[in-house]
Amino acid sequence: MSPEQKLAWSTAQTYLALGNALHGATSLGIDSCPMGGFDPAEFSRILTIPKPLVPVMLCPLGYAADTPMPKIRFSKEDIVF
Ligand SMILES: Cc1cc2nc3c(=O)[nH]c(=O)nc-3n(C[C@H](O)[C@H](O)[C@H](O)COP(=O)(O)O)c2cc1C
């Protein structure tokens, strides 16, 4: 694989693992906040993450200090056909 293909493949693997981690954390009563949309190069620089590692998602885990806002979700009938 080319470097771009390797990054795309490993990013997809990370998303799969992160999805499992989020569900696992929730089942244990641990809160999380997956975050994308950051500058990977800048994040690596700040945390001195060495190449070839590339951060693709950030996910703090812990116990939320605030009471969660009410969920706004479509009803099951609106999304399942
Ligand atoms: C800075 C920041 C970046 C986030 N980036 C993403 C993202 O890239 N993808 C995503 O699905 N959610 C992203 N989120 C959303 C949160 O992780 C969380 O899922 C969202 O606030 C909904 O919370 P809830 O599941 O408690 O309703 C981001 C949140 C924050 C604060």
Side-chain angles (χ1 to χ4, degrees):
M1 288 190 280
S2 69
E4 292 77 20
Q5 288 172 319
K6 285 181 184 174
L7 180 58
W9 181 84
S10 56
T11 297
Q13 304 310 301
T14 303
Y15 290 156
L16 286 170
L18 178 63
N20 282 322
L22 296 176
H23 289 135
T26 300
S27 73
L28 295 171
I30 299 170
D31 298 306
S32 60
C33 183
M35 295 180 280
F38 60 92
D39 181 343
E42 187 64 1
F43 194 79
S44 292
R45 185 189 67 76
I46 292 168
L47 291 187
T48 61
I49 296 172
K51 289 182 180 175
L53 299 178
V54 178
V56 295
M57 285 294 284
L58 312 176
C59 188
L61 297 167
Y63 298 100
D66 301 326
T67 304
M69 300 283 285
K71 297 284 184 188
I72 300 171
R73 299 286 188 261
F74 290 111
S75 70
K76 185 177 167 186
E77 291 70 32
D78 285 339
I79 57 173
V80 178
F81 298 100

